[in-house]
Amino acid sequence: MAKWTAFPYDNDAFQYDAASLKKNWARLHAGDAEPFPKDADVVQAWIHFHAGEFQAAYEAGLAAGGAGITVANKAQAIYANYLEKKEKVKLEMFLEVAERAEGQQAEEPKNANAYYWQAYAIGRYGQGISVAKALAQGLGGKVKGSLEKTIALAPKHADAHIALGAFHAEVIDKVGKLLGKTQGADTATGLKMFEQARKLNPSSAIAMIEQANGLVMLEGDKRMKQAEALYTDAAACEPMDAMECLDVELAREELEE
């Protein structure tokens, strides 16, 4: 396997050991509602993930199997989304995650993150090939269904609420409210999902960013001031791991443009 691009920021503050990881687990996983692992090898994979050692996390997660598959999926999906430069490789990675997550669902039908990472990967893949093309291929229904299943299994899964809000916003933005209805997308549900995500994980920079984008997609320029305020808040967040650092940097870049 080709060497993945290294995490480009200082990660000294994101170095956890098993004890400090457990202590900070609830805050670090407020987004994905993942339970603390019982397997020491899976704990080690998460230590790599939070430090931004995404390839090491992916490899350790796959080697551990079981709950380690979730670490591998998250590491590959986050790496592909933020750091992979080649579009072809990025899309291939998303498809790999989606396929592996679907296999995980068969093994563990009550594992909320098996559905979430499938939805995330297909959603990002769909954005890569164009939302309109993805909807024509029936991918929108898969994303929506998997996210709804995630929330049914884990009602406090903040990231699934964010992603479902983004689904409604993206579909309406690309095909309009009328055609959006045929895809099961509507403005009120999208807005509600963003609000719920913020309640579940109020310190999440990505929740602020996605809500900002979603507000403008769903309600236009009248929400621009609120969106800018959300970006400002996201840029001021104090990240606790590498993924949060990438989100904060994303907000800062947007504000500078």
Side-chain angles (χ1 to χ4, degrees), residues 21-138:
L21 180 65
K22 189 167 189 177
K23 184 182 174 186
N24 291 285
W25 187 264
R27 164 64 181 79
L28 286 165
H29 290 268
D32 66 6
E34 178 72 9
F36 187 79
K38 295 169 184 171
D39 184 335
D41 290 339
V42 180
V43 170
Q44 186 55 51
W46 280 115
I47 287 169
H48 286 307
F49 174 83
H50 291 298
E53 297 159 3
F54 296 123
Q55 188 166 17
Y58 162 80
E59 289 169 354
L62 283 187
I69 300 301
T70 301
V71 197
N73 286 345
K74 186 166 186 174
Q76 189 171 21
I78 295 302
Y79 169 80
N81 190 51
Y82 289 94
L83 298 175
E84 177 52 53
K85 301 289 190 287
K86 294 177 183 169
E87 191 64 20
K88 183 172 179 286
V89 175
K90 181 185 289 197
L91 294 178
E92 285 169 358
M93 283 186 161
F94 287 138
L95 289 178
E96 276 178 27
V97 171
E99 191 177 332
R100 206 162 44 236
E102 194 167 358
Q104 196 181 18
Q105 292 164 20
E107 294 284 323
E108 303 173 66
K110 292 188 177 177
N111 183 336
N113 278 319
Y115 298 92
Y116 175 72
W117 288 110
Q118 181 192 33
Y120 181 99
I122 293 174
R124 293 300 188 195
Y125 174 82
Q127 287 173 330
I129 64 169
S130 92
V131 172
K133 199 180 279 187
L135 293 175
Q137 291 178 17

Side-chain angles (χ1 to χ4, degrees), residues 153-173:
L153 289 167
K156 292 185 177 179
H157 199 299
D159 290 349
H161 285 84
I162 296 167
L164 195 50
F167 165 82
H168 286 274
E170 287 258 10
V171 170
I172 289 167
D173 182 56

Side-chain angles (χ1 to χ4, degrees), residues 131-132 135 166-188 216-219:
V131 172
L135 293 175
F167 165 82
H168 286 274
E170 287 258 10
V171 170
I172 289 167
D173 182 56
K174 298 300 183 292
V175 303
K177 289 186 180 181
L178 202 60
L179 279 175
K181 279 186 180 175
T182 67
Q183 298 287 337
D186 72 275
T187 299
V216 176
M217 284 184 197
L218 290 168
E219 300 200 309

